[in-house]
């Protein structure tokens, strides 16, 4: 079946521009996560949704970052007034339920380059 | 919160077993050990996880020491396609009941012909 998909796969933005990154989780998956991965580093947690509820946004680096999942399926990560330090790969993952040991399934990521 | 320590890089000959170590000396009794890998330009891929018993699936085996302070991921017959960064993770905390991993830098495994 279809896995987690993300779009666009690549995005080049000028500094100060707003961007929106989309994540389509596996159908029926309750939990959705966003991660940021800088070059040469492991993924770092940004935010977590359980259905449409954003239960944890402790990893969002600034108030320029905003995420939503209004209908409990597709999610959008928005970055306002992008800065060069926002350049990274943004990964989305989903898991079936909310049990603590649930496996997460990752999308291919969106590679953002801010010039 | 338990942290993990992994060697930054390893290499292995194709067809041989790759044994990737991980130290997690501060792991608590209800924390799982998870392994993911990330092939270049792809998202991380789940490999295997365990609590205290050794585990095996079609991808790999996970050996956890009796004191649970370390573990080893074993790829029994490594292929060139196993070249990737391998992350050992212990459950850091639960948010709303779900599991949020902390990846660290992992081990870069290179499988050579």
């Amino acid at each position: 079946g279809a896995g987690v998909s993300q779009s666009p796969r690549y995005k080049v933005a000028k500094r100060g521009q707003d961007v929106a990154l989309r994540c389509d989780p596996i159908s029926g998956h309750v939990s959705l996560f966003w991660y940021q991965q800088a070059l040469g580093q492991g993924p770092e947690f940004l935010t977590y949704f359980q259905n449409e509820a954003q239960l944890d946004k402790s990893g969002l680096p600034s108030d320029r970052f905003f995420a939503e999942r209004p209908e409990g399926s597709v999610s959008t990560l928005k970055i306002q007034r992008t800065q060069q330090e926002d350049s990274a790969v943004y990964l989305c993952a989903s898991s079936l339920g909310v049990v603590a040991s649930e496996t997460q399934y990752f999308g291919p990521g969106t590679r953002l380059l801010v010039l | 919160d338990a942290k993990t320590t992994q060697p930054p890089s390893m290499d292995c000959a194709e067809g041989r077993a790759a044994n990737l170590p991980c130290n997690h000396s501060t792991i608590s009794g209800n924390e799982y050990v998870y392994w993911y890998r990330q092939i270049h330009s792809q998202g991380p891929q789940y490999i295997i996880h365990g609590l205290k018993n050794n585990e095996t699936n079609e991808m790999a085996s996970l050996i956890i020491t009796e004191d649970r302070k370390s573990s080893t991921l074993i790829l029994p017959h490594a292929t060139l396609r196993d070249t990737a960064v391998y992350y050992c993770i212990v459950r850091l905390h639960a948010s709303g009941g779900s599991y949020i991993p902390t990846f660290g830098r992992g081990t870069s495994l290179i499988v050579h012909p």
Side-chain angles (χ1 to χ4, degrees), chain B residues 76-90:
Chain B
H77 305 287
T79 71
L80 299 179
R81 289 175 294 180
D82 292 323
T83 293
V85 178
Y86 287 77
Y87 297 100
C88 169
I89 299 155
V90 296

Side-chain angles (χ1 to χ4, degrees), chain A residues 19-94:
Chain A
V19 298
L21 312 180
R22 177 187 169 108
C23 172
D24 286 78
I26 295 172
S27 178
H29 276 199
V30 169
S31 296
L32 185 145
F33 304 78
W34 283 98
Y35 297 85
Q36 180 190 60
Q37 185 172 25
L39 190 64
Q41 306 291 322
E44 294 196 1
F45 170 76
L46 293 177
T47 187
Y48 162 63
F49 289 86
Q50 187 179 120
N51 294 307
E52 69 278 4
Q54 188 175 21
L55 298 187
D56 190 332
K57 54 182 181 179
S58 61
L60 295 178
S62 77
D63 58 8
R64 295 186 296 104
F65 287 71
F66 171 77
E68 61 182 3
R69 194 187 185 198
E71 298 180 359
S73 55
V74 172
S75 177
T76 303
L77 176 66
K78 297 179 180 177
I79 309 174
Q80 297 177 321
R81 305 181 303 281
T82 52
Q83 304 294 315
Q84 287 185 321
E85 61 262 29
D86 299 335
S87 296
V89 175
Y90 290 85
L91 294 161
C92 175
S94 69

Side-chain angles (χ1 to χ4, degrees), chain A residues 9 31 33 35 37 41-43 45 48 50 55-56 91 95 97-104 106-108 111, chain B residues 32 34 36 38 40-46 49 87 91 93-105:
Chain A
R9 289 295 313 276
S31 296
F33 304 78
Y35 297 85
Q37 185 172 25
Q41 306 291 322
F45 170 76
Y48 162 63
Q50 187 179 120
L55 298 187
D56 190 332
L91 294 161
S95 63
V98 298
V99 174
S101 59
E102 281 281 350
T103 298
Q104 295 185 20
F106 284 80
R111 187 175 298 271
Chain B
Y32 288 79
Y34 272 75
Y36 282 78
Q38 188 172 25
H40 183 63
S41 295
Q42 298 183 21
Q45 176 191 25
Y46 165 80
H49 74 281
Y87 297 100
R91 197 187 93 180
H93 66 277
S95 176
S98 195
Y99 161 59
I100 300 174
T102 296
F103 282 84
R105 290 198 176 191

